[in-house]
Amino acid sequence: MRKLGDPMKKYIPFTYKMLIPYLLLVLLTDVIIGYVSYTMLTESRTEMAETNIRTGMEQARNNIRYQMDEIQRMSDTLFGNLAFQRAMQTKGEPYDIYLIMLDEIVPEITAPLKLFGNHIRLMLYTLNSDLYIVSGDNLEEPIHRSDYYILPFEDIQDSAWYQQFKDSERDNIWLQIDTDQRLGNISHIRRLVSYSGNMTVIGYVRITASLDDLFGDFSTFPVEQGITVRLIDSASDGALLYQRGNAEMDAQRGKYLSLHEPIPGTDFVIEALVPKAYLTKDAGRLQRVIFTVCGISFICMAFIGFIVARLSGRKMKRIVWLVRSFQEGNFQKRIRFSGNDEFVHIADAFNVMAANIQGLINSVYVQGIQKKQAELEALQAQMNPHFLYNTLSTISSLANLGETAKVTEMVQGLSRFYRLTLNQGNVFTPLKHELKQVETYLGIQRVKYAGAFSVHVDVDPELLQVQVMKLILQPFVENTFKHAWFGESIAIVIKGKRRGDDLELKVIDNGIGMRPETVQRLLIGPSPSGGYGVKNVDARIKLRYGGKYGIRIASIYGGGTTVQILLPMNSGELPAME
């Protein structure tokens, strides 16, 4: 039977369980309809957005390819112009060089700049040290206007990109060098060679353009809505050359739709990363409408079902209430239903069962109490004859020795002892009376042993009125004389103190002590060497108060014995066995 105070086990009423499958079916239908509608709209939006983005990528590809071709034609013009080549190799007086640059070199460089639509930088690195240097704008800053530069070859001969370029057979290529990556630029690199001699290198052409200008209009790539446009060099393991948009999206690539558009004639690929949120943004409103309708429908059905379940489940709830009362041990409650349905029959059956169980429990409980009382009385009856036997044996020994005065004193002490033991038929006695009974017993023993033993009592005065079972100390004091005495004298200490809600009594002696197996035999039961009283007291305490209380013995052979008696502080207030 469930203990009182234990938490009730929660349950779902049967009528609510019947409602759950129906609500689940309604919810499943709403979810399927909403999911299908949302999926179709999302797919439609995805296809439309993907088409728009691909169209923009194709436009960007064509724009980039066209401008790269224009820049390529610039370098082709310089590469194939023989007069330009001769001018680049001219040496002589500074004035002659100045005229050559003014008439032959600078016009060939500036003419393409005027025809190209976007701002670019055209740099000419010459090996001819006689040519004048034209520094142009600051290369560390973004391109704000078209400009040209005539620079010495020494400016690039130690750079990392030139060292890789000169040792390779590649020419007429696009690279990001120096500050290009930081400024978002890209450069076209080409060698200039002389066709009049042995095809020697006379210089290098570098044409730098802004990638923003190459891509053109970004209206088809709304980067403010999360779209990212990138330019990737597939020949360099996907090296990133340019990016417009979210720079932190690599860690969340699974949330993006990735589109690629290669640029013909190059190793470059345009990549567009479109966030799934952008694809489904138009579906958000319908999604909210679908979820709202489904939610309202489900809430309405749940409310109606709850009302129906509540009305139909009242009788079942009353039956459950009766069952829980039975779990708590209350069999007096009954339940009555009007009508003639199955709940009425269930209630009647429960009422009959409760009456039968109540009668059975009363019968079993009374029998158990009576049995327990009989066991206690039997144990109590065993104590008195046992002590009487030991005392009469001592009196007989004194009579044989002719100690008439001692015999008389012991008989009087025995009379006082049993008067205290009878205790007017009460099972409990104040602790001070129990101590007085021990004192009476010790008075009997002093007749026999004179001053050969000493006794010290240390009990808190506030504990003297505590009710305890009678005859719980004397058997252990008696065992001290019978089994612990070794030598000419022995000392006994009786202690009593409170331990929380428990009372602890101790009987301590400095006798010969016991081995562990002897202690175990004393607690198990009587043996040829004695120990009947120890088991008796322990059994009485446990029978009355439970297994937590009782006797514990600690003994060291040759070092003495301590007996601990543990009782509840309110032991005398427990219900009487009657």
Side-chain angles (χ1 to χ4, degrees), residues 218-274:
F218 275 87
S219 61
T220 55
F221 305 108
V223 294
E224 68 279 359
Q225 298 187 34
I227 294 179
T228 301
V229 181
R230 316 172 82 182
L231 184 64
I232 297 173
D233 186 359
S234 60
S236 301
D237 297 328
L240 179 63
L241 303 179
Y242 175 79
Q243 177 169 295
R244 185 80 175 268
N246 183 10
E248 304 295 333
M249 64 22 150
D250 281 336
Q252 303 176 349
R253 195 172 267 273
K255 297 181 179 179
Y256 289 79
L257 172 66
S258 180
L259 303 176
H260 297 83
E261 185 68 34
I263 300 177
T266 69
D267 295 325
F268 300 152
V269 177
I270 301 174
E271 181 184 38
L273 297 170
V274 186

Side-chain angles (χ1 to χ4, degrees), residues 7-24:
M8 291 288 189
K9 183 178 180 181
K10 295 183 178 179
Y11 73 100
I12 300 177
F14 178 75
T15 52
Y16 294 168
K17 290 182 179 180
M18 296 298 294
L19 180 64
I20 290 175
Y22 173 70
L23 292 179
L24 289 177

Side-chain angles (χ1 to χ4, degrees), residues 411-573:
V411 171
Q412 292 175 350
L414 182 62
S415 174
R416 290 192 299 272
F417 178 84
Y418 271 96
R419 187 165 54 251
L420 291 170
T421 298
L422 291 176
N423 194 30
Q424 298 179 352
N426 295 324
V427 176
F428 296 98
T429 185
L431 179 58
K432 67 177 183 179
H433 289 176
E434 182 70 10
L435 293 173
K436 185 173 181 62
Q437 188 173 36
V438 171
E439 182 182 348
T440 303
Y441 170 77
L442 292 173
I444 296 174
Q445 297 301 325
R446 283 191 179 91
V447 176
K448 180 179 179 180
Y449 297 105
F453 66 89
S454 62
V455 179
H456 176 70
V457 179
D458 181 15
V459 178
D460 293 344
E462 62 180 12
L463 301 178
L464 295 177
Q465 298 301 324
V466 174
Q467 296 287 323
V468 298
M469 270 187 173
K470 62 183 181 182
L471 281 177
I472 58 173
L473 287 175
Q474 183 272 335
F476 300 105
V477 177
E478 181 181 354
N479 281 342
T480 299
F481 286 95
K482 189 172 182 180
H483 303 293
W485 198 311
F486 179 77
E488 297 181 355
S489 64
I490 192 169
I492 302 172
V493 177
I494 300 175
K495 291 187 175 184
K497 65 179 181 179
R498 180 170 186 160
R499 285 180 50 187
D501 294 332
D502 298 332
L503 170 64
E504 180 187 62
L505 302 174
K506 287 185 178 180
V507 178
I508 306 170
D509 66 68
N510 63 346
I512 192 171
M514 295 177 287
R515 292 186 173 90
E517 56 271 18
T518 305
V519 174
Q520 189 66 25
R521 284 198 302 269
L522 286 176
L523 292 174
I524 292 175
S527 63
S529 61
Y532 190 83
V534 175
K535 175 60 180 176
N536 188 296
V537 174
D538 187 55
R540 289 164 57 207
I541 294 175
K542 283 182 168 55
L543 188 61
R544 182 70 182 186
Y545 307 120
K548 173 183 175 182
Y549 302 98
I551 306 301
R552 293 183 182 177
I553 301 176
S555 182
I556 300 175
Y557 188 69
T561 301
T562 298
V563 178
Q564 179 201 51
I565 307 170
L566 191 63
L567 302 169
M569 279 294 297
N570 59 346
S571 61
E573 300 175 4

Side-chain angles (χ1 to χ4, degrees), residues 59-68 70-71 113 116-121 141-147 174 180 183-186 207-218 221 229 231 242-244 263 270:
Q59 293 175 354
R61 177 202 65 192
N62 295 335
N63 188 51
I64 293 173
R65 182 68 263 176
Y66 171 77
Q67 296 186 75
M68 293 177 75
E70 286 294 311
I71 293 174
L113 299 180
F116 194 75
N118 295 321
H119 298 312
I120 60 174
R121 287 171 176 164
E141 296 180 356
I143 301 174
H144 298 296
R145 65 187 181 92
S146 294
D147 199 5
W174 292 86
D180 284 350
L183 298 177
N185 299 333
I186 191 167
I207 303 175
T208 302
S210 171
L211 284 168
D212 282 340
D213 293 337
L214 292 182
F215 270 92
D217 186 13
F218 275 87
F221 305 108
V229 181
L231 184 64
Y242 175 79
Q243 177 169 295
R244 185 80 175 268
I263 300 177
I270 301 174

Side-chain angles (χ1 to χ4, degrees), residues 147-301:
D147 199 5
Y148 70 93
Y149 304 74
I150 299 176
L151 303 171
F153 169 72
E154 288 76 9
D155 286 0
I156 63 171
Q157 66 178 354
D158 295 329
S159 63
W161 70 266
Y162 173 74
Q163 297 298 324
Q164 296 179 357
F165 177 73
K166 74 170 185 175
D167 295 333
S168 67
E169 297 180 357
R170 300 176 63 194
D171 195 10
N172 204 20
I173 60 175
W174 292 86
L175 295 173
Q176 278 190 326
I177 58 176
D178 296 337
T179 60
D180 284 350
Q181 187 169 24
R182 179 172 62 84
L183 298 177
N185 299 333
I186 191 167
S187 298
H188 175 72
I189 310 296
R190 186 168 192 172
R191 293 183 180 91
L192 292 178
V193 298
S194 174
Y195 286 96
S196 60
N198 55 356
M199 301 291 290
T200 58
V201 177
I202 62 174
Y204 296 88
V205 174
R206 172 184 173 187
I207 303 175
T208 302
S210 171
L211 284 168
D212 282 340
D213 293 337
L214 292 182
F215 270 92
D217 186 13
F218 275 87
S219 61
T220 55
F221 305 108
V223 294
E224 68 279 359
Q225 298 187 34
I227 294 179
T228 301
V229 181
R230 316 172 82 182
L231 184 64
I232 297 173
D233 186 359
S234 60
S236 301
D237 297 328
L240 179 63
L241 303 179
Y242 175 79
Q243 177 169 295
R244 185 80 175 268
N246 183 10
E248 304 295 333
M249 64 22 150
D250 281 336
Q252 303 176 349
R253 195 172 267 273
K255 297 181 179 179
Y256 289 79
L257 172 66
S258 180
L259 303 176
H260 297 83
E261 185 68 34
I263 300 177
T266 69
D267 295 325
F268 300 152
V269 177
I270 301 174
E271 181 184 38
L273 297 170
V274 186
K276 300 295 179 61
Y278 173 79
L279 299 176
T280 59
K281 65 176 183 177
D282 292 340
R285 186 174 62 86
L286 181 58
Q287 179 187 30
R288 290 191 294 271
V289 172
I290 292 174
F291 285 172
T292 301
V293 172
C294 293
I296 293 174
S297 173
F298 182 77
I299 291 173
C300 291
M301 295 302 298

Side-chain angles (χ1 to χ4, degrees), residues 97 101 106 124-136 148-155:
I97 296 299
M101 290 186 65
V106 173
L124 177 64
Y125 295 96
T126 177
L127 277 71
N128 186 354
S129 59
D130 290 349
L131 295 180
Y132 288 98
I133 303 302
V134 180
S135 58
Y148 70 93
Y149 304 74
I150 299 176
L151 303 171
F153 169 72
E154 288 76 9
D155 286 0

